[in-house]
Amino acid sequence: MRLALLSTIAVFLSAVAPALAQGPDPAVGRRLAEETCASCHAVGAEPDAKSPDSKAPRFLDVAKMPSTTELSLKVFLRSSHRNMPNFLLSPEETDGVAAYILGLKKK
């Protein structure tokens, strides 16, 4: 009985672990940024791009700020802000957008 239980757990973990280990998907974050944020922000990696709203920082500039970390982005994306619409992002969407912005730091 115990061996059967351990075998079942091992099979379950081998099926679930790869999905958990993948982490946030920056491609999902990019798609969401293009659909939701690009009306105000320059969301791409183009160094000469300008945000449609001059008060909205470019994602590339946000990525390169010394204070930008995974945690700071997630907190920011989950908080309401006076000059931004209040978006309700799922945890996976928040993680994806944060991963996308952090990926811009390397460009």
Side-chain angles (χ1 to χ4, degrees):
M1 174 81 164
R2 186 175 177 156
L3 183 60
L5 177 61
L6 290 175
S7 295
T8 302
I9 291 171
V11 169
F12 174 75
L13 289 176
S14 68
V16 173
L20 295 175
Q22 286 179 342
D25 186 350
V28 169
R30 180 183 177 115
R31 179 188 49 76
L32 188 62
E34 288 171 345
E35 293 172 359
T36 309
C37 309
S39 60
C40 296
H41 297 271
V43 298
E46 302 79 22
D48 297 329
K50 301 221 182 301
S51 290
D53 179 341
S54 62
K55 296 176 196 162
R58 301 179 318 152
F59 279 20
L60 186 59
D61 295 332
V62 171
K64 292 183 177 185
M65 293 171 60
S67 61
T68 298
T69 64
E70 181 181 8
L71 179 60
S72 70
L73 286 170
K74 288 179 180 183
V75 169
F76 182 86
L77 292 167
R78 291 183 179 128
S79 304
S80 62
H81 295 85
R82 184 176 26 166
N83 297 326
M84 283 181 49
N86 286 323
F87 296 109
L88 296 175
L89 301 176
S90 71
E92 293 80 19
E93 291 171 329
T94 301
D95 292 349
V97 172
Y100 172 66
I101 292 172
L102 288 172
L104 294 173
K105 191 179 283 195
K106 301 170 189 154
K107 305 216 180 221

